[in-house]
Amino acid sequence: MNSILILGCGYLGSHLANYFNQQGWSVKVLGMRSMHTDYLSESIKFVELDVNDIESVKHFIIPGDFVLCATGSINATNPFNDISRDITDYYLPYINLLNECASKNIGKFIFLSSAGTVYGNASNFAKEDDRLNPLNIYGVQKAFFEQLIQIKHNESKQLPHVILRVSNPYGGIQNPLKNQGIIPVLINKALNGEKFEFWGDINATRDFIYIDDFLKATYLASKCAINEVINVASGTCSTIGEVIDVVQHRVDCKIDIVYKTSANTVVKNNLIDNSKLKSITGFSPSITLEDGIQQIVGKMLYAKE
C-alpha cells in the first residue's frame, strides 16, 4: 500500500488527505486541530502537533513514503514588516524539513506553491518556465521555497519532488465566516442578506479551480510527475465582477457590496496556463465556475434547512 504523510490539516490538507485515502493510500496527517479535522476519514491517522517543530515531525517521516506539504503560513495581505517573523517561524523550519526528508530518502516531496502570487501580474497565460515576479512577501516565500527544494535535490540527489503551483481552489468544506476565499464568503453573505466589504479591484482577474478538479489534478500530478513544476489551475480566468454576477444569478438576489480601497499590493491579472498539467496527467479540469458556484449554493441552502 502506498503511504503519504500530509503536513497541515487546513482546507487543502484535509481535503487531500481524504482524497488520497479514497484512492487506497495509507494517510497520516500532522497539524493543529481545527474544524477540518472533524471531517477526516476514520481510517486516517491524525496527530496534533506543530508542523514547524522538526523534532516532533521527524519521527513520522518514513523512508519511501510521500510527504505533502500543505502547511499554513503568512497570507498575501501580510506587509513587508512581517518578513522577520516569517523567516523565523517558517523559513528556518522549512529548511529543517527539507534536510530531514532528504536524509530519510522519502519517495517524493510534494509542495503546494501559489500560482496566484509567484507570477505577479501576467499579461498572458503564465507557464511554468516564465520568470517569477512575486508582488508580496507571501509570493516571495513560495518562490523561495520552490528554489530551496530544487537546490536541495540538485546537491543531495535525494529529494525527488513535485512543485504544484495552485491557483484558487474553492468549494468543499470551507468556513465562510473566516473570510478565506471570496466565493463562499460572497454566497454566505448573499444567502443571509448581509453586506459584503470588498477590498480590491473588481476588474482583477483570477483563476478559480473547483475543489474536485483540484484534488484529482493534485493526486495525478503527485503520482505521475517527478522533479517537475506544474500549474494546477482551471486554465480559465474570471474578473471579480464576473464572479459576483454569477453568485447573484445563482442565489437570485442582489448583493449589497461596499467597495473599499486596499493599501496592499495585489495582483491585478492572474492568468494561468495548465497545458503541462494536461500533458503529464492526461487530466483537464472540467467543472465550470457557474457549476461550481451552483454546487456550493445548493449545499449552503441544504444546510440552512
Side-chain angles (χ1 to χ4, degrees), residues 238-271:
S238 305
T239 67
I240 301 301
E242 289 169 341
V243 172
I244 293 171
D245 289 342
V246 173
V247 171
Q248 290 182 146
H249 174 70
R250 295 299 185 183
V251 178
D252 193 25
C253 77
K254 185 76 172 178
I255 303 172
D256 186 4
I257 301 176
V258 180
Y259 295 97
K260 302 282 189 177
T261 301
S262 175
N264 297 315
T265 301
V266 295
V267 175
K268 180 172 175 58
N269 296 310
N270 187 223
L271 318 174

Side-chain angles (χ1 to χ4, degrees), residues 3-21:
S3 298
I4 186 168
L5 173 68
I6 295 180
L7 304 178
C9 194
Y11 172 52
L12 297 184
S14 60
H15 280 83
L16 285 166
N18 283 326
Y19 192 85
F20 273 85
N21 178 255

Side-chain angles (χ1 to χ4, degrees), residues 170 208-213 234 236 284-293 295:
Y170 69 101
F208 294 98
I209 182 169
Y210 192 68
I211 190 68
D212 291 356
D213 280 340
S234 68
T236 61
S284 179
S286 61
I287 300 176
T288 65
L289 181 68
E290 291 79 6
D291 289 343
I293 287 176
Q295 290 193 42

Side-chain angles (χ1 to χ4, degrees), residues 170-171 174 176 181-194 196 210 243-244 246-253 255 289-301 304:
Y170 69 101
Q174 288 182 282
I182 186 173
I183 291 176
V185 175
L186 262 175
I187 295 172
N188 185 64
K189 294 289 188 183
L191 292 176
N192 290 296
E194 299 173 355
F196 175 72
Y210 192 68
V243 172
I244 293 171
V246 173
V247 171
Q248 290 182 146
H249 174 70
R250 295 299 185 183
V251 178
D252 193 25
C253 77
I255 303 172
L289 181 68
E290 291 79 6
D291 289 343
I293 287 176
Q294 182 59 54
Q295 290 193 42
I296 300 173
V297 170
K299 291 176 181 177
M300 285 192 178
L301 286 173
K304 287 172 67 72

Side-chain angles (χ1 to χ4, degrees), residues 78-86 137:
N78 281 79
F80 183 82
N81 289 341
D82 288 343
I83 198 165
S84 296
R85 178 174 58 85
D86 186 29
I137 64 170

